Amino acid sequence: MCENLNKQYQLCEELGRGRFGVVRRCFSAGTGDSFACKSIDKRLLLDTTDRECIDKEPKVLHLLGGNPHVVQIHALYEDDNYLHMVMDLCDSPDLFDRISNHGGVFSESEAFSVFSPLISAISYCHRSGIAHRDIKPDNVLFDSRGMLKLADFGSAEWFGMNERRTMTGVVGTPYYVAPEILSGGEYNEKVDVWSAGVILYIMLAGVPPFYGETPAETFEAVLRSNLRFPTRIFRSVSPEAKDLLRKMLCKDVSRRISAEQVSRHPWVVTGGETRSMADLS
């Protein structure tokens, strides 16, 4: 273990384990504050793509520092065998677990309480010229106060702030990946809007909008992008929520709204509370 890391932080129990390393709870030796230490075993990196992903995440997090809904990196240590990132501690169940354990669909106000900070984080990333490219419930974390933190920027890409450039490369996760990524061509940051739309659909419906029995069948369903609102499931979902979903899960990227436009949509502005025009007058 890195000598400087051990001088500054006390490593404690394991919180999670991934393909390349482990996440542990840790405490600052100076302040006693709690953090998470993500330790990557560089000996497990099999190719240059893996290495690029590992190198990219701390750089992206430094660029995005300061937003309350993006996980923050507090210290970085590296030796011959390991890369250690000291980050915000998010020890509450992530969104994947919350959806799995919810026992039913979310009400619109419950969905809004998750969706609003998520789209705020995505908008901030896009204003900073960063596309996440792997928005999914597993990467939507919560700290002990319940504050949402968007995490895992290993697949993120810089697309620029003024002269915005398109991106290439197949990244993402079945169910959540945008169709233009699967098509193998160029795409822009609106792939994150699509993925956030899938998350909102799942919270309101309890099922993904596009799925199959295998990853290949799921990809085919995503490419078709035949968005439906089954009456049995969406009977109690407001027209405003369905309108937002149509605009986020639009296969035509030129017609798909941006993250900033999502934040100004009536469903978001009213906090997921549907009101008639008479109520607003």
Side-chain angles (χ1 to χ4, degrees):
M1 196 63 72
C2 182
E3 181 179 351
N4 289 333
L5 171 65
N6 285 329
K7 286 181 179 178
Q8 300 296 325
Y9 296 92
Q10 177 184 348
L11 297 180
C12 302
E13 75 274 16
E14 181 178 316
L15 297 175
R17 184 173 290 270
R19 190 157 57 109
F20 300 124
V22 63
V23 178
R24 293 184 177 89
R25 186 189 305 269
C26 68
F27 295 91
S28 167
T31 67
D33 291 336
S34 300
F35 298 95
C37 180
K38 185 175 182 178
S39 299
I40 306 297
D41 188 341
K42 295 190 293 186
R43 295 165 296 184
L44 298 178
L45 304 179
L46 302 178
D47 53 37
T48 55
T49 301
D50 290 340
R51 179 72 216 197
E52 287 171 0
C53 289
I54 297 306
D55 288 342
K56 186 185 298 179
E57 185 169 25
K59 294 176 183 177
V60 169
L61 291 178
H62 277 302
L63 282 172
L64 295 175
N67 187 276
H69 298 301
V70 174
V71 70
Q72 304 292 298
I73 184 167
H74 299 276
L76 185 67
Y77 302 92
E78 187 168 11
D79 57 25
D80 290 340
N81 295 325
Y82 285 91
L83 175 69
H84 307 282
M85 291 182 284
V86 178
M87 310 166 76
D88 288 341
L89 176 64
C90 297
D91 53 355
S92 293
D94 63 27
L95 184 56
F96 180 86
D97 289 334
R98 292 183 180 213
I99 291 172
S100 300
N101 299 329
H102 191 267
V105 299
F106 286 58
S107 68
E108 292 189 40
S109 59
E110 288 172 333
F112 171 81
S113 70
V114 173
F115 184 79
S116 177
L118 175 59
I119 204 65
S120 174
I122 294 171
S123 295
Y124 176 76
C125 292
H126 291 181
R127 289 195 303 272
S128 303
I130 299 291
H132 186 286
R133 300 201 302 173
D134 195 19
I135 304 285
K136 58 182 178 180
D138 318 55
N139 292 335
V140 179
L141 310 183
F142 298 87
D143 66 15
S144 59
R145 300 170 298 163
M147 178 78 76
L148 181 146
K149 304 276 186 179
L150 182 59
D152 198 348
F153 284 79
S155 297
E157 186 64 79
W158 166 264
F159 61 83
M161 297 174 65
N162 299 318
E163 299 266 333
R164 298 198 167 194
R165 63 180 181 85
T166 56
M167 294 163 278
T168 58
V170 179
V171 295
T173 302
Y175 297 130
Y176 307 99
V177 64
E180 61 267 31
I181 291 182
L182 295 178
S183 297
E186 297 181 339
Y187 51 85
N188 63 26
E189 71 275 12
K190 287 184 181 179
V191 296
D192 291 342
V193 173
W194 176 280
S195 301
V198 174
I199 289 176
L200 179 58
Y201 188 105
I202 289 173
M203 287 193 292
L204 294 175
V207 294
F210 316 107
Y211 59 91
E213 295 298 322
T214 65
E217 290 181 2
T218 297
F219 290 149
E220 290 174 4
V222 171
L223 285 168
R224 288 193 300 271
S225 304
N226 185 15
L227 181 64
R228 295 181 178 180
F229 299 109
T231 303
R232 179 178 58 85
I233 297 175
F234 279 88
R235 182 178 293 108
S236 60
V237 175
S238 69
E240 293 87 349
K242 287 184 280 192
D243 178 71
L244 176 57
L245 287 169
R246 287 189 191 96
K247 291 175 177 175
M248 295 180 73
L249 297 174
C250 178
K251 186 176 181 180
D252 183 347
V253 180
S254 67
R255 294 174 53 234
R256 188 184 309 159
I257 59 177
S258 68
E260 288 289 340
Q261 289 172 319
V262 171
S263 67
R264 297 194 298 270
H265 188 275
W267 188 84
V268 178
V269 171
T270 59
E273 297 290 339
T274 56
R275 304 171 188 173
S276 67
M277 294 305 294
D279 294 331
L280 295 173
S281 62

